Amino acid sequence: MALIKTAGEAVARIAYLSSDVVLSIQPALASDSDFSKHLHSHAANRSPSLVAKEAPEVIPVRYNVDPLLSAFQPLRSRKLVSVTTSSTTLLPSIPHLYKLAQYPIVLHVSLHPVNYPDYSEITAIRQCGFTFLQSETLQEAQDLALSAHALAVKSGKGVIHFFDPANSKDDAPIEIEDRELVRRILDVGSSRPMLGTQNEAAFLYVDDGRRAATTTGGASTPRDSRSETGHVRKAASPRRNKSPIREASSAGSSVRESSADSRPTVSSATSMDSSTIRPVTSEDIYEYLLAIWSQIEKLTGRRYQAFEYTGPEDAQSALFVFGSTGLFVDVLGAANSSEEFSKSGLVTARLYRPWIGPRLAEALPSSVKRIAVLEQIRRKTTKWGPVLLDILTSLRSGSSATGAPLIVGHQLGYIEPATARQALRGIFQNLNSPKPIQNLEVGSREEPRPSLDQYSLAQPKVESAYMKILDQVFGQRLYVANRLDAANAGISATIAASPEFGFGSLLARSDHRRRFVGEVKNAAATRNFTTDVPQSWLSKWAMNAEDAKHVNAIAPEIIARLSNDGSRLASTLLESKALFFKESQWLIGSDAWAYDLGNSGVHHVIASGANVNMLILDTQPWSERAAADAVRRKKDIGLYAMNFGNAYVASVAVYSSYTQVLEAMIEADEFNGPSVVVAYLPYNKEDDSPLTVLQETKKAVDLGYWPLYRWNPNNEDKGEPNFSLDSERIKQELEEFLRRDNHLTQLMNRHPRFAANLSESYGTEVRALQKRKAKDAYNTLLESLYGAPMTILFASDNGNAESLAKRLGNRGKARGLKTMVMAMDDYPLEDLQTEENVVLITSTAGQGEFPQNGRAFWDAVKDTTEFDLSQIKYAVFALGDSHYWPRKEDKIYYNKPGKDLDARISFLGGKKLADVGLGDDQDPDSYQTGYGEWEPRLWQALGVDKVEGLPDEPPPITNEDIKIQSNFLRGTIAEGLEDTSTGAISASDQQLTKFHGTYMQDDRDLRDERKAAGLEPAYAFMIRCRLNGGVATPSQWLQMDSVSSSYGNETMKLTTRQTFQFHGVVKSRLKSAMRGINKALMTTIAACGDVNRNVMVSPLPTRSAFHRDVHQVSAKISDHLLPSTSAYHEIWLKDNGSDEKQTKVAGDAVVDKEPLYGPTYLPRKFKITIAVPPHNDTDVYAHDIGLIAIKNAHNNRLEGFNVLVGGGMGVTHNNKKTYPRTGSMLGYFPASEIHLVCEKVMLVQRDHGDRSNRKHARLKYTIDDMGVDIFRGKVEELLEAKFEKPKPFEFKSNIDTFGWQKDEEGLNHFLMFIENGRVEDTAEFPMKTGLREIANVHKGDFRLTPNQHLCLSGVRDEDLDTIKSMLKKYKLDNLHFSALRLSSSACVAFPTCGLAMAESERYLPELITKLEGCLEENGLRQDSIVMRMTGCPNGCARPWLAEVAFVGKAYGAYNMYLGGGYHGQRLNKLYRSSIGEEEILDIMKPLLKRWALEREEGERFGDFVIRIGMIKATTEGKTFHDDVAEEEGE
């Protein structure tokens, strides 16, 4: 049987079993308290409790964010709440405790600091109205925790159970709690307290009148003593007789009963019976507790009393210890007869409040004549300790004073275990002396070896982003008044970090500088300097003392002049030389300032009007719970500050807009007055990854929970608007709102639209309204039709289920049925039980999950117990892949949504029209095979299977139809761009815009939240440039930088196609972005689509002349194969209203035709690349055409090319008819005619490629179907020339060569590492800014590499130092990365790619970080391994050629491939299917170690795994699926 070893675990288990909600107050969200590890373990396992309908909710809360606020909402929702916390939380929470005491809440308090806890944190709150129970041993911790919960349930009042965890650390383990015993003691079913209703007013500090009450003369169940209006009612008859217990407890509490409120207590009675409602008293508490302890004794044999005495029955003296008793128990128990304390006992309080004085006298033997009271109180605020006063009042007052023992108080300090006997001896010597010393200190006031304080203030690493930005912007000018590492003599770190203290120190610092400015002015007017030079400089300085830019520029010069002067006055001024600089002064605060208990400091700063900058970090992630909990909700400091009208205010988020953060901080510094920058940095735990923070930020900003804005009241004087909204998604809504109210203060006086609690409810309302309107509109259309109704609901991720549903609807109409087709989540679920015939069609997402547009529907259906579907008939068809999850234990995922839906509808009473149909992608016709068998059964069940004269169905529209009907790529793109009702364009235009270089996408991080808010997906566009050979001029780089900042998401992606890519361009900005690219003499046409795309070239930094030759050829090929349509110019570049009709992008032809492509262009995309041996850095084998440059042996210039054809990377998971392929050699051809070779290869593909099946349409399949020799013959026939035999060549690597290199012309080139090609600014790495600054001075060019890195090319020797210093300044010269990281590559994947199944770009760096420790251990840091990751099997990062690759299969799950060639010449092969991070690390770490130990000289990783038999080599594309290490289909 499992055993419990710590008091924290014992208490946590009881709290979990006895609560609906447990607040786990922790030092940090990522750091465990004494309780949290055990609570979270139970919660993760969904272990049931004894009181909650489901597993209780465990809510982690940081100790310094007013944590007890979170208790009010569940308490008012009639839930049993417990809190696990350290004593650190108690004193700041006093304002809440008085009110919480009237609710049945239990606080389990672990006393801190560990090893020497401070009991003053208990005595300081003894009058707050709670009942206090104290446990000392491990078994007591379990029993008294249970007693606390039972007492709270019974009395309806709050209970604090406190204990010293160190006191029981050496106790023997105990058995886990008996659930049946806990159930009987709690007796929740019969005595759950009558809490207020959920509609109670949520006042925080105003008394709402709630009193825990009980009845006399009737049932004794505690209840709320308010009337229905919430007011306390008068007692019908006051309680007349006071028992001795009551009298003593009142006296013993000094002022009032601690368990009953100090205000006049009243009760109420009804007119219906003789029972009287009255407040719960101390006597009631004691009686309830005695009953609980009596029951525990009966069931376990363990006995508890209010005061516990241990020792001889004839003891002459006793110790009363209010502190750590463990040492004294051991020493007293082992005392010999000769020691002073051998005839002494020990007394402790189990029930500390209410203090029941008579029970203390009863607990003591009558022989006791002297009592030593030991109080472990480190913060002594009165002469006499509170426990001493309690005991004196109990034993030496009234009738008990006669014959009472002598009572001597002692202050208990820290005692080492070795000196415990000596300490006891000293205590009893003092106690037994004729004149004992009162308040004698025993032990040390301070712990000699302070324990590590978990609850000390510290800045989480994730929050450092904003501090780094402040450092970057202000440098040495930055002064943070309340920084955590500041040395403030005599001030605790907690106080020094508070806004009040920081504000005070800044005011003092400002006063000091003002005095200094006066001193400088006086000095400038005197003649007390050795020379006249300082006077003029000081005069200049004094005139501009508040102009930071001016004074900071001349301050160094002034200091130098004064140093040279040498006069006494100069020396005096130099003593304060730091004040010559104008600081940027800041206060930094956490989101704790946004709650009432921390907000006062913010108020003082704003109200003062002082020139102080505040940066307030809000780390609360957006969530439905946070948005719905009005009591928990923070103050909106931004709106609060704007209401004053005298403050600069900004709301920023570094993971949303880095540029806006910079602007806000600079503007705040320039503003003369208080400035408040509220900064968002959401995380669930302090060690959350940047990816998690990014995703949470995007949700909050996009949904309006965290709007980005700047408010500058000085702008009005300049004729500019005060308010500037910087978050695009809600800009239009807020601008209309501002226009309507005409001023932001009016907006604030109303409830702001973007308040968190309003946005959630508003979105829910909108969504419900949308569903209802859609359904009603359908019903209106169907009213005029005859026939039986059939409602078809679908859930679809990739469109197959949706298409099937719509086709079924059309076929149903043709058979006379009234059909309605809707997405499951668009359907008003309450109407389901009123339907007659329902058909549900769903595909399968992830690990057997519902598609996104069906999840809400399924969640509602699976959880409901109220639906009666006995009146409906239904059928389900499911789409899936039986081989997608190969392991036997994962077979349950096959078509799981459909199977689950069928079972659930049947359980709720639905009658089947047909058995569930299962469509399988592995069938000959994919899911159509199963569907073809299922649909006739459905018609037969509906009685419409024999309808005659059915019309022929129109064939589905294909990409070929779209192209041929597009009028040379025009379609309705122009009209779609003008449609402002949606951020999207039509489905056919989405296909056509690819030819123009742009894809429509949506932000998948935001899908669920936007849907819940009633919004369409966050549509935006990706733009890809066409950049021959990846070469850009500095001016082009600057223009691309500007486009990304002005129109995109402020980042650029350097792609594996060696070009620029922009993300997050919304439709309204799409045309402007295209024009911005055109201004740089660049284009996007044919960067995507079924045409020849960007031609790639090796960057070749060491051979500039040869690079020029190859680059010229690439430009010639690119221009030659460019589409001829003028649609691009008409749609994107032509001014509106222009009469231009047909203008070609390049060349001088004006006719609109496609001489090379024809009206249907190519069957699929077409890619060309050029590699220059020995570098295969363009992956020449992976493209439709791969050209291997051959140089002339005599002059080292370009001679010709070996031509490879038929490479390609795209694959479909589990479809063995699809595979990657490396190019086949056709032969050699001279450079002068190579553009014609490319043309003829493309034309053969145009005419012979498969246009009926896009999965089989790439050139690689054409060649495999046709055969290489036949294909070569067709190309040669068109060329009217033959290929020569290929020339010899050798590849040695396909990765980039980083660092500085010099070419044959004396020019310098620096190839820098850009991880996964993402160019952006972060607080740690301002990469984008650095590259922009370099582009302003660079005289060469920028070469983008196919591995997503960047080569700064053509740097002359005279410019070398300047460029190197700039690279160093912006950390762009850092190449100190592992070779694995330098050799890695990833595609974009989430959140923008619609095809992604898993993370890639955002996850691969994290995975590599987790492997780098293993690399270091095995000496592999400098050994290159080509590792690639993609979010889907389409192969954008060319994973199939990597030595190790991870290809996304579902979120968090990847297929692992091994054995690719290091030179890019060999495909890899599947090793493991559908594995997560843990399995990846379990495989990779031992494998890396084995490679380090067993590899042969120079053996690459991909070759090694083949040699040792882990994987078999892939010899050609057609064998890619053969002999895999783990069959996907098994």
Side-chain angles (χ1 to χ4, degrees), residues 127-142:
Q127 307 289 14
C128 67
F130 271 81
T131 300
F132 287 76
L133 298 177
Q134 178 185 200
S135 61
E136 294 177 307
T137 69
L138 182 54
Q139 186 62 66
E140 287 175 6
Q142 185 184 70

Side-chain angles (χ1 to χ4, degrees), residues 1437-1459:
R1438 301 186 287 277
W1440 316 114
L1441 292 172
E1443 293 180 282
V1444 55
F1446 302 99
V1447 179
K1449 201 165 187 188
Y1451 202 85
Y1454 299 84
N1455 280 1
M1456 181 178 182
Y1457 296 82
L1458 293 174

Side-chain angles (χ1 to χ4, degrees), residues 897-1212:
K899 294 175 182 177
D900 288 349
L901 195 55
D902 178 64
R904 187 62 183 169
I905 299 295
S906 176
F907 174 80
L908 293 173
K911 300 178 179 62
K912 289 186 182 183
L913 289 165
D915 289 337
V916 60
L918 302 178
D920 189 350
D921 283 350
Q922 296 300 314
D923 285 340
D925 294 323
S926 187
Y927 61 84
Q928 298 285 0
T929 303
Y931 182 79
E933 299 170 356
W934 173 83
E935 186 184 303
R937 297 201 300 268
L938 175 66
W939 301 139
Q940 186 177 8
L942 290 169
V944 293
D945 54 320
K946 298 180 180 179
V947 176
E948 297 180 356
L950 293 173
D952 294 333
E953 291 184 10
I957 297 176
T958 66
N959 281 62
E960 297 301 309
D961 297 325
I962 293 171
K963 285 185 285 187
I964 200 167
Q965 295 169 15
S966 70
N967 187 19
F968 295 96
L969 307 183
R970 287 171 177 80
T972 57
I973 296 173
E975 293 80 0
L977 293 174
E978 298 298 322
D979 181 4
T980 59
S981 66
T982 176
I985 57 176
S986 69
S988 58
D989 286 342
Q990 289 174 41
Q991 298 300 320
L992 295 175
T993 52
K994 295 177 183 179
F995 292 80
H996 297 258
T998 182
Y999 280 73
M1000 191 186 86
Q1001 302 173 328
D1002 77 288
D1003 194 323
R1004 296 174 67 179
D1005 284 345
L1006 305 175
R1007 277 184 183 174
D1008 290 342
E1009 285 72 16
R1010 289 183 67 86
K1011 189 167 191 176
L1015 303 172
E1016 72 175 6
Y1019 291 119
F1021 290 78
M1022 178 274 285
I1023 301 177
R1024 185 182 298 153
C1025 294
R1026 188 179 180 92
L1027 187 66
N1028 292 334
V1031 178
T1033 65
S1035 62
Q1036 288 175 324
W1037 181 276
L1038 290 171
Q1039 183 64 19
M1040 296 303 99
D1041 180 277
S1042 175
V1043 167
S1044 69
S1045 297
S1046 300
Y1047 308 114
N1049 63 358
E1050 301 185 23
T1051 73
M1052 291 190 293
K1053 174 78 171 179
L1054 311 184
T1055 76
T1056 55
R1057 293 293 321 149
Q1058 208 175 11
T1059 186
F1060 297 100
Q1061 197 162 285
F1062 308 106
H1063 293 272
V1065 182
V1066 295
K1067 187 170 77 171
S1068 60
R1069 295 180 174 182
L1070 190 55
K1071 184 178 287 189
S1072 298
M1074 293 290 203
R1075 291 182 175 188
I1077 293 168
N1078 182 255
K1079 286 180 182 178
L1081 302 180
M1082 293 168 61
T1083 185
T1084 66
I1085 189 171
C1088 320
D1090 299 341
V1091 288
N1092 176 57
R1093 301 187 178 185
N1094 196 54
V1095 179
M1096 295 165 59
V1097 175
S1098 172
L1100 206 65
T1102 57
R1103 294 158 62 192
S1104 288
F1106 197 78
H1107 179 268
R1108 280 195 299 272
D1109 293 346
V1110 176
H1111 187 261
Q1112 287 171 4
V1113 171
S1114 74
K1116 189 175 184 179
I1117 295 171
S1118 181
D1119 291 344
H1120 183 68
L1121 301 182
L1122 198 68
S1124 300
T1125 178
S1126 61
Y1128 183 88
H1129 186 96
E1130 290 176 18
I1131 294 170
W1132 307 109
L1133 306 181
K1134 187 182 72 174
D1135 292 330
N1136 291 335
S1138 170
D1139 291 332
E1140 294 179 70
K1141 292 297 180 185
Q1142 291 181 327
T1143 309
K1144 201 173 181 301
V1145 173
D1148 54 4
V1150 294
V1151 291
D1152 204 13
K1153 62 180 181 180
E1154 291 289 3
L1156 286 179
Y1157 291 103
T1160 55
Y1161 296 86
L1162 299 180
R1164 280 298 302 274
K1165 56 189 172 185
F1166 197 84
K1167 300 178 179 180
I1168 300 176
T1169 189
I1170 303 176
V1172 182
H1175 306 290
N1176 184 21
D1177 46 9
T1178 65
D1179 271 329
V1180 73
Y1181 293 97
H1183 297 76
D1184 295 273
I1185 297 180
L1187 303 176
I1188 302 171
I1190 306 298
K1191 67 179 179 180
N1192 186 291
H1194 302 292
N1195 59 15
N1196 289 326
R1197 300 301 291 268
L1198 179 64
E1199 180 178 283
F1201 297 91
N1202 286 344
V1203 180
L1204 297 166
V1205 294
M1209 293 287 102
V1211 175
T1212 300

Side-chain angles (χ1 to χ4, degrees), residues 16 19-24 43 46 52 54-59 74 79 82 625:
Y16 187 88
S19 309
D20 297 303
V21 176
V22 184
L23 299 182
S24 174
R46 302 295 296 167
E54 298 178 350
E57 183 181 9
V58 177
I59 304 173
K79 293 182 178 179
S82 62
R625 181 183 65 79

